[in-house]
Amino acid sequence: MTALEKATGDVVLKFEPFVLHVLCRELQDAQLLHSVAVDSGFRNSGITVGRGGKIIMAVRSTHCLEVPLSHKGKLMVSEEYIEFLVHVANRKMEENM
């Protein structure tokens, strides 16, 4: 709260979820890993094939959070709401584990 009171610009609380990048030898390996990831709840997972033929499987969760707190130095939410957001973000971090 002290940092928010001193802020002069925009402040955003942002939580970015777990991401795991795996270099796969074969496309079949990436497809198998993708199926396992999606079936395990990592719905934002995907496969990328680079220019050099590198096959990357990205395991991504959907546990993101991005909430504006202040605008031009003016706090836009209550301290109670910030405490709630911190609790939500901490829960998401536990889900990542």
Side-chain angles (χ1 to χ4, degrees), residues 20-26 29-30 33 48 53-58:
L20 172 68
H21 291 100
V22 180
L23 178 62
C24 300
R25 291 182 189 194
E26 303 290 332
D29 299 330
L33 181 55
T48 304
K54 286 185 179 178
I55 302 166
I56 304 291
M57 168 52 207

Side-chain angles (χ1 to χ4, degrees), residues 80-93:
E80 181 182 2
Y81 185 65
I82 292 170
E83 289 173 7
F84 169 74
L85 289 175
V86 169
H87 175 73
V88 169
N90 286 336
R91 229 180 359 187
K92 289 179 181 290
M93 179 62 85

Side-chain angles (χ1 to χ4, degrees), residues 29-63:
D29 299 330
Q31 289 170 327
L32 176 61
L33 181 55
H34 182 263
S35 294
V36 170
V38 171
D39 290 346
S40 297
F42 295 96
R43 292 179 198 88
N44 284 350
S45 299
I47 300 170
T48 304
V49 180
R51 291 182 189 166
K54 286 185 179 178
I55 302 166
I56 304 291
M57 168 52 207
V59 180
R60 296 185 194 107
S61 77
T62 57
H63 300 103

